[in-house]
Amino acid sequence: MVSFLVGLVVLLVGGYLYGKFCERVFAPDARTTPAYAMADGVNFVPMKRWKNALIELLNIAGTGPVLGPIQGILFGPIAFLLIPIGCVLGGAVHDYFSGMLSLRNRGEQMPGLMKRFMGKGVFHVYNVFVCLLMFLVGVVFIYTPGDMLAGSVLGFSTSFVDAKTGAAVPWEALVPLLAIYALILLYYLVATVFPIDKIIGRVYPIFGAILLLSAVGVFIGLFVGGGIFTLSEAWGPWPAWVNDGVIGQAFGGTWANIVPMFFITVACGIVSGFHSTQACIIARSVNSEFEGRKTFYMMMILEGFIAMIWAAAAMVVYSSGAAEAGVTGATAVVGIIARSFLGDVGGIVAILGVVVLAITSGDTALRSLRLMLADYFHIDQVKRAKRILLAVAIFVPVAVVLVYSKTDPNGFNVMWRYFSFANETCAVFAFALITVYLFGRRKPWAMTLVPGCFYMFVVSSYLLNAKIGFGLDWPAAYAAAGVLTAAYAALVVRAGLVRRRRIESGEIDPAALETPDDTAEKAGE
């Protein structure tokens, strides 16, 4: 219990103080934001601060702060400390600077920022990873909410293959699941094509209420049901299920390999490259730079709070033995947690809250992908017909991969591994970009270089060891990852030095790259 409460203090107090520090480093001012300077009624649309913050939270949350911590707690109660420390020093910093850099640079998406600060070579490489990530987020966040609605709420079959016989499930038994997938896809298409304030800006307050009710309900349930008093401490002894094969079954390793496995597993609950893409969307709707800390930094802290709640609830459930037989099925554990803490009715509300998390990330992920592809191929997105055609070109392969992942018994696991790797790799790129920006301005660049190096080590050691990668044993993977991390640090510092020299020599005028303030009168309209 003490570890959990200490973690909450670190998250909330540390987040408040370090968020203030990040704000001082960036130094927001009263310049006109892209929402006014580039207003187009579609993507650049001013919205109220509370609405921007709520949309940002729902965009970045996904199932990351739920499914990730449910699996991450299998590494033990050390998760109660790693999650808040990672959020404060890594995830929230990543989100804040990504959003603020977009604000300063005409609301550009991450690929545009990457090209501006890191050059065309890095831009092309990053574009591959980020488009793959957006695509996989779209697929994953149709799969998971669809399965939870069909299975945990409505009681329908969610598998295309019979687990016992290996035979294909009759298509008529899958009609409800397919219908749910189709409805989610249809909503995604509408949310992807229509102006952000017409669909997303109107339905998100309802989704936000469901999300907050579910999270608060589980949090209260921890105390009312006495579950808070059964939580183990990070300093031991740890629950028996941490060392009795559960980790090996779920992750193919032991808790000793907490780096990289824990950080790849929890992903969005600590640091997520996906978040930077979502911050850039909201940057096009923010009224003032002074709203940035609460809109970007503090929403990641709130996501960390949600992650802590579900991690604690999962520990209570695992310790009771109720989920021993299905520890790798995080979506099933969501249902067990919800009903254990909130009863049948409250449990359904909590499950709907998790469904909302997924849906409100999937829609904006595919919206981001549309915008990125449009920017890359210079496709006009003001005309509705062109938006629809590009969206359809994205949604057809999404549907194909979704069906494949359901027909292959191991399809989702493979897809999730690629998603996690692409997600953290995009974060490594984002940390490099931010570091170069800070270096050029003679600001404390180490605050982003250090987490960038850490996650470079995480993604490289994971890829070098994993079956989907090079399959090296851990000592070799760690040694090679150390070399790659050192090379990453050297290249980032070199890029920062080059940018600083170009700024100080007058070759680059940084003010010319940022949103002009010659339309300041619009901010008062």
Side-chain angles (χ1 to χ4, degrees), residues 5-42:
L5 297 178
V6 168
L8 288 181
V9 171
V10 170
L11 180 68
L12 301 178
V13 177
Y16 176 79
L17 296 176
Y18 203 63
K20 284 281 192 179
F21 173 72
C22 290
E23 188 176 51
R24 286 199 299 272
V25 169
F26 189 84
D29 57 37
R31 75 186 66 206
T32 304
T33 62
Y36 293 99
M38 304 181 68
D40 63 3
V42 179

Side-chain angles (χ1 to χ4, degrees), residues 82-126:
L82 293 179
I83 290 174
I85 292 173
C87 281
V88 170
L89 299 179
V93 175
H94 168 279
D95 295 7
Y96 175 75
F97 280 102
S98 296
M100 295 305 289
L101 281 175
S102 181
L103 267 173
R104 283 280 174 95
N105 290 277
R106 303 186 179 98
E108 286 187 342
Q109 297 287 287
M110 281 301 292
L113 293 174
M114 202 63 63
K115 185 176 182 179
R116 187 182 296 279
F117 287 95
M118 304 298 292
K120 291 183 179 180
V122 175
F123 159 72
H124 289 302
V125 175
Y126 173 81

Side-chain angles (χ1 to χ4, degrees), residues 146-231:
D147 278 25
M148 281 188 281
L149 277 174
S152 298
V153 177
L154 302 176
F156 293 118
S157 173
T158 60
S159 176
F160 280 29
V161 180
D162 189 294
K164 295 181 179 179
T165 65
V169 174
W171 282 102
E172 56 268 22
L174 298 173
V175 170
L177 177 64
L178 294 174
I180 290 173
Y181 285 163
L183 288 173
I184 295 174
L185 268 170
L186 179 61
Y187 164 71
Y188 282 2
L189 180 61
V190 172
T192 299
V193 171
F194 279 79
I196 190 169
D197 63 330
K198 302 301 182 185
I199 302 296
I200 292 175
R202 292 184 178 180
V203 301
Y204 269 34
I206 300 173
F207 288 166
I210 298 174
L211 161 64
L212 295 176
L213 280 174
S214 64
V216 171
V218 174
F219 183 65
I220 293 174
L222 281 170
F223 291 88
V224 174
I228 187 74
F229 300 108
T230 68
L231 298 179

Side-chain angles (χ1 to χ4, degrees), residues 116 498-513:
R116 187 182 296 279
V498 169
R499 182 169 181 81
R500 179 185 293 176
R501 284 199 299 268
R502 295 181 68 188
I503 290 175
E504 294 178 349
S505 67
E507 184 180 350
I508 292 179
D509 177 10
L513 302 178

